Amino acid sequence: MIKILIVEDEKPISNLIRMNLTDAGYLCTCVWDGLEAANILEKESFDLILLDVMIPEINGYELMDYIRQLQIPVIFLTAKSDVNDKVKGLKLGAEDYMTKPFEIVELLARIETVLRRYDKASKYLQLFDIHIDTQSRVVQKAGKEVQLTAKEYELLLLFCRNKNIALYREHIYENIWGDVYVGQSRTVDLHIQRMRKKLGLEHKIVAVYKVGYRLEV
């Protein structure tokens, strides 16, 4: 599931965005200031960030310096409508810039556009001879369907969307199992081993010493 971080200090707006995005099938987390956002980004990964500019502790522009290193796409959502502010936001690396008030339907369209640009929302994914239909959750290898468990399927998507990136076991566990990692490396290892074997990815998803795993393409 696509994970979106909403950094917005006005709680009614934050709640409205979360409600609509959740209905659209996104998994949302809300924080209300820049420091809290930086803290959660150290612990969790997200596919997209909706970022207000005028937030307490660390403002949105300052936070972009930190987010840019994480390579997570950002859409600014702000009341700052001056063209100089828009240019500044885009030059800092944001993928898009929306001013308040806005229509939810437009926000959803812009989110889909950014996710497509990052290959995070594609209905169909291709990895070597493996074809993944994310709508039907059907996985085929060389044209033949492969039966994966729910966790194995989510692991496959996670690696497909993070090619050539070393993923920490903590990151893998917390993304797939949705819980805090407290050393469940055996659980992660077992599921990855089974998924690799079913799909013939033993030499493509490699172990990274003291880190976790990396899909090499």
Side-chain angles (χ1 to χ4, degrees):
M1 183 177 285
I2 298 292
K3 293 179 65 178
I4 296 179
L5 178 64
I6 303 167
V7 188
E8 167 63 71
D9 63 330
E10 295 183 57
K11 292 190 177 181
I13 295 177
S14 176
N15 290 336
L16 177 67
I17 295 171
R18 177 171 59 181
M19 181 181 69
N20 282 278
L21 267 59
T22 300
D23 287 346
Y26 298 110
L27 183 62
C28 298
T29 299
C30 296
V31 295
W32 295 278
D33 65 61
L35 184 59
E36 194 178 2
N39 288 337
I40 198 170
L41 286 167
E42 285 187 359
K43 302 171 187 172
E44 296 183 36
S45 67
F46 293 89
D47 297 293
L48 177 74
I49 300 172
L50 301 179
L51 179 60
D52 191 5
V53 173
M54 295 179 289
I55 47 177
E57 304 292 348
I58 304 172
N59 72 44
Y61 291 147
E62 294 168 336
L63 194 61
M64 273 300 298
D65 284 336
Y66 179 71
I67 295 173
R68 196 163 51 240
Q69 302 170 36
L70 303 175
Q71 299 183 322
I72 302 172
V74 169
I75 298 177
F76 273 117
L77 281 179
T78 175
K80 292 174 76 69
S81 58
D82 187 88
V83 67
N84 291 324
D85 291 314
K86 295 179 182 178
V87 170
K88 181 177 180 179
L90 294 171
K91 282 191 171 181
L92 284 171
E95 290 293 325
D96 204 345
Y97 191 107
M98 288 187 70
T99 55
K100 302 173 185 173
F102 55 85
E103 296 291 336
I104 285 293
V105 65
E106 182 183 356
L107 174 62
L108 288 169
R110 292 188 184 224
I111 288 172
E112 289 176 13
T113 299
V114 172
L115 291 175
R116 275 199 304 273
R117 196 178 300 151
Y118 277 73
D119 198 26
K120 291 178 180 288
S122 300
K123 294 177 182 176
Y124 306 103
L125 298 174
Q126 190 74 31
L127 178 67
F128 308 114
D129 62 346
I130 299 166
H131 181 78
I132 307 163
D133 183 331
T134 62
Q135 282 198 317
S136 64
R137 295 172 70 92
V138 170
V139 177
Q140 293 182 323
K141 179 175 174 58
K144 294 184 178 178
E145 187 170 342
V146 179
Q147 296 295 330
L148 299 179
T149 65
K151 298 300 184 192
E152 291 165 355
Y153 174 81
E154 295 297 333
L155 280 168
L156 177 61
L157 290 190
L158 180 65
F159 281 109
C160 280
R161 288 169 172 158
N162 293 276
K163 299 181 180 77
N164 296 315
I165 296 174
L167 300 177
Y168 282 82
R169 283 188 175 83
E170 294 92 326
H171 172 89
I172 295 171
Y173 186 85
E174 290 171 6
N175 263 272
I176 303 303
W177 278 266
D179 201 356
V180 177
Y181 182 86
V182 286
Q184 300 96 328
S185 63
R186 188 68 177 155
T187 300
V188 173
D189 293 340
L190 277 173
H191 281 77
I192 290 178
Q193 287 170 19
R194 288 173 59 84
M195 184 267 287
R196 287 193 308 192
K197 186 174 182 180
K198 288 182 179 180
L199 296 168
L201 294 172
E202 293 93 334
H203 301 296
K204 298 296 184 183
I205 297 178
V206 300
V208 180
Y209 182 61
K210 290 188 175 180
V211 175
Y213 293 90
R214 179 179 61 242
L215 169 62
E216 295 184 339
V217 298

